[in-house]
Amino acid sequence: MRTICFYFQVHQPYRIKPYRFFDIGEDHYYWDDYSNRSIMRKVAQKCYLPMNKLLLELIREHEGRFKVAFSISGVCLDQFEAYAPDVLDSFRELVATGHVELLAETDGHALSALKSKVEFSRMVERHSAKIAKHFHGYTPKTFRNTELIYSDKIGEMVYDMGYSTILTEGAKHILGWKSPNFVYTAASQPKLKVLLKNFQLSDDIAFRFSNKTWPDYPLTVDKFVNWIREIPAEQETLNLFMDYETFGEHQWADSGIFEFMRALPAAIMRDTSFTFSTPAEVAEHGKPIAPIQVPVPISWADEERDLTAWLGNDLQNEAFTKLYELEEDVKLLADDYDIQRDWTYLQTSDHFYYMCTKFFSDGDIHAYFSPYDTPYDAFINYMNALSDFILRVKRAKKALAKAKAETDL
């Protein structure tokens, strides 16, 4: 089997509106509806709608030989439903071809796997329910954790939830001399297959495509296909994982990114021995060659491929700790829709990403994605909203206890 697996992450967070200290206890709605709607419509027009149209044409043109996979976060599905139903329809049309795989993940695009197995499982169940709701009962077979975060412990939890395949980063410090272009198994659970991102070729498209200072600029289809042809014959799978917003948003249309993608599948099928497969197909047909050990969590972020993009400083760790101190109380309020919605949206990893204080190798990337002037502004705004949320949870818990006591009488 010589196959290429294209996987795209589709995600937009619910951004928090400017929330002042004096709003605590007074304003219980945290979300910047105007920004969220505006950004969703902008990205829909620049990326989601034109790229979905292009992929649909490629699948039909190649009669199903071209295949891709998506993980669409639950918070993104909520925004599609609210602000971009046309985008949701276009994804449904893609899935209906039978040549697109949808992956499972956490509903809130959250870091819950690092803190709570119970909350992690709840998040995954909620996400699967949303996928089934929006895509005619579709049941995901493959799992992708938030930002490809993975460890041996996470692998065990994912397998226990019923998944037999997971995606993660082909990080150098984990692979060593080994290649990401094989199927592996989890060291902690041999029945769990692990597909690793080839970050070199993936990032050539996702990050370097329009970089005029890159020695290999411009990236042409012929050049990329030649690199694929250079992959040793015994290496059977090439996993190209990237943000879907690469197309039209991070790499603008005038960079030629859409034309590149339109021509790529035909060139690969014509000039190489590679086919295209979904992650589930790679796992089904690929023979694992070895276990992969990941004792400390990895991700696909930054040069380090670790967790420091989200949990690398005191600001992030304080916010993260304060948030998950609420878990047990929030569980008691399962029937409170607003509490459950805000609990999910406050867990979204982007809030912690905005607090990152890296100013060197990856500082520009962090600044590009953040709506705040500084990480400290992000921390203050988040903690103000979280402080109000804490008050609401305490009051709701007290009211619930009082109602229960009165019922018992």
Side-chain angles (χ1 to χ4, degrees), residues 5-17:
C5 177
F6 263 113
Y7 150 73
F8 304 117
Q9 170 185 283
V10 187
H11 169 62
Q12 291 294 326
Y14 271 95
R15 296 158 191 87
I16 299 173
K17 68 185 180 183

Side-chain angles (χ1 to χ4, degrees), residues 143-262:
F143 189 81
R144 181 220 73 125
N145 196 23
T146 303
E147 306 296 344
L148 294 189
I149 293 172
Y150 175 78
S151 68
D152 294 337
K153 181 179 178 181
I154 291 172
E156 286 187 65
M157 290 191 290
V158 168
Y159 183 79
D160 288 345
M161 284 188 276
Y163 297 97
S164 57
T165 308
I166 190 169
L167 277 56
T168 191
E169 174 71 24
K172 285 183 179 178
H173 65 280
I174 293 298
L175 279 170
W177 57 268
K178 297 188 288 294
S179 168
N181 302 330
F182 292 102
V183 177
Y184 291 87
T185 59
S188 56
Q189 176 45 261
K191 293 182 180 179
L192 179 69
K193 293 183 178 179
V194 182
L195 307 186
L196 302 177
K197 171 189 166 187
N198 183 310
F199 69 82
Q200 181 65 51
L201 291 178
S202 297
D203 293 354
D204 285 343
I205 299 174
F207 294 110
R208 292 182 280 273
F209 185 85
S210 61
N211 181 2
K212 294 182 180 180
T213 66
W214 179 38
D216 286 305
Y217 178 87
L219 180 58
T220 65
V221 169
D222 288 343
K223 189 180 295 183
F224 196 77
V225 169
N226 283 337
W227 292 341
I228 292 174
R229 292 177 66 182
E230 292 171 0
I231 295 173
E234 68 275 11
Q235 297 183 17
E236 296 185 333
T237 179
L238 171 59
N239 297 318
L240 299 175
F241 301 166
M242 62 198 74
D243 283 334
Y244 199 38
E245 294 79 14
T246 293
F247 303 95
E249 175 65 12
H250 304 161
Q251 309 293 341
W252 290 6
D254 61 10
S255 71
I257 190 70
F258 289 106
E259 290 77 9
F260 173 86
M261 195 63 192
R262 176 176 291 280

Side-chain angles (χ1 to χ4, degrees), residues 266-324:
I268 288 173
M269 287 185 277
R270 179 180 63 247
D271 298 333
T272 77
S273 58
F274 281 87
T275 61
F276 290 91
S277 299
T278 64
E281 290 172 340
V282 174
E284 180 182 359
H285 300 296
K287 184 177 180 181
I289 64 161
I292 191 85
Q293 289 190 323
V294 188
V296 177
I298 59 173
S299 76
W300 69 353
D302 299 347
E303 288 292 326
E304 300 87 351
R305 300 315 203 254
D306 60 11
L307 303 182
T308 53
W310 307 276
L311 299 174
N313 63 42
D314 290 343
L315 304 178
Q316 294 166 314
N317 285 303
E318 180 179 348
F320 189 66
T321 300
K322 286 287 186 183
L323 175 66
Y324 280 97

Side-chain angles (χ1 to χ4, degrees), residues 359-378:
F359 298 116
F360 296 102
S361 62
D362 298 292
D364 289 344
I365 295 175
H366 286 264
Y368 172 83
F369 286 107
S370 178
Y372 298 96
D373 292 334
T374 72
Y376 309 101
D377 293 333

